[in-house]
Amino acid sequence: WKTYWGRPDVAWFRIGGEDILLWSQRAAMTTLGTALHVAGHFADAASVREVDFRIRERIGDSEHMLIVVKGKLAGTYSNQGRFEEALSLRRDVYSGTLKLYGQESFEILREANNYAVLLKELKHFTLARSVLHKAIPVARRILGASHQITITMRTQSAATFLHNPGAPLDEIREAINTLEEIEPIARRVLGI
């Protein structure tokens, strides 16, 4: 990645308005960051993804791609235990996705789930429930009750009650009822 970072933002030729050298830089950075992350080298993956983001930002890459790279970086930070930095990025990714795609999109449902999972892990139960409370009805309407994301969000919502030591008994009962309701759906759809 250090090789690519030092190169100028000019290429030898352009195709369809796209710099070929810049495209290959972005592709190489994305591939390297993913490979390091999958191999469990999270510190190195974070460095590569940080540089990848800066390169994309510097050359004016699309808002969609900047959000994608931020989301990957948030995942890498989480795996490193850098939870506050991950949370800040997840919040940015969630709000950026909401602005870019709106509330009725697959992308916002995926990012709402990712954001809520991290919020739950950091014991921000009320905020996690709030995010899921908005997203679950949209997921049911757009994707259906049997879609993996809908099932996952409902499971996460129940978990926010079950993991919260201060949750009232009626919320715990509601969580158990939800899990009992989605269990046969999950078995059928996900094979678990």
Side-chain angles (χ1 to χ4, degrees):
W1 64 263
K2 291 177 183 176
T3 301
Y4 289 114
W5 182 247
R7 289 190 180 171
D9 288 345
V10 294
W12 298 309
F13 56 93
R14 296 173 68 85
I15 295 179
E18 179 77 17
D19 264 337
I20 297 305
L21 176 61
L22 291 177
W23 182 88
S24 64
Q25 286 178 4
R26 290 179 292 194
M29 295 296 287
T30 299
T31 302
L32 179 58
T34 300
L36 289 167
H37 183 93
V38 169
H41 300 285
F42 302 121
D44 293 330
S47 293
V48 169
R49 286 180 167 168
E50 288 164 354
V51 170
D52 187 20
F53 181 77
R54 287 195 301 266
I55 288 173
R56 288 171 184 279
E57 198 173 41
R58 187 174 72 191
I59 64 172
D61 208 346
S62 71
E63 193 64 31
H64 167 78
M65 284 311 302
L66 292 174
I67 288 171
V68 167
V69 174
K70 265 188 185 180
K72 289 180 181 189
L73 185 56
T76 302
Y77 283 169
S78 288
N79 285 328
Q80 279 186 284
R82 296 166 64 179
F83 297 115
E84 291 306 319
E85 291 167 282
L87 183 59
S88 176
L89 286 175
R90 278 282 169 228
R91 187 179 307 112
D92 290 350
V93 168
Y94 176 70
S95 65
T97 302
L98 187 58
K99 276 189 236 171
L100 200 57
Y101 296 103
Q103 205 153 7
E104 301 274 324
S105 67
F106 176 81
E107 290 81 5
I108 195 60
L109 295 173
R110 183 187 59 232
E111 293 310 328
N113 185 62
N114 291 339
Y115 184 37
V117 166
L118 186 55
L119 286 166
K120 182 193 64 122
E121 293 300 315
L122 294 175
K123 300 185 183 346
H124 299 291
F125 300 117
T126 304
L127 186 52
R129 276 194 304 270
S130 173
V131 169
L132 291 168
H133 181 73
K134 291 178 198 168
I136 290 171
V138 176
R140 281 182 159 168
R141 189 172 57 256
I142 292 175
L143 304 173
S146 298
H147 193 279
Q148 182 177 355
I149 287 183
T150 308
I151 294 167
T152 302
M153 283 197 285
R154 292 186 68 203
T155 303
Q156 289 302 323
S157 180
T160 62
F161 293 119
L162 297 175
H163 291 157
N164 183 356
L169 190 56
D170 61 324
E171 289 180 350
I172 292 171
R173 281 191 190 112
E174 180 186 330
I176 291 169
N177 289 337
T178 298
L179 292 174
E180 287 174 346
E181 182 184 319
I182 61 175
E183 189 257 343
I185 300 169
R187 284 191 185 280
R188 187 183 78 244
V189 173
L190 305 175
I192 45 177

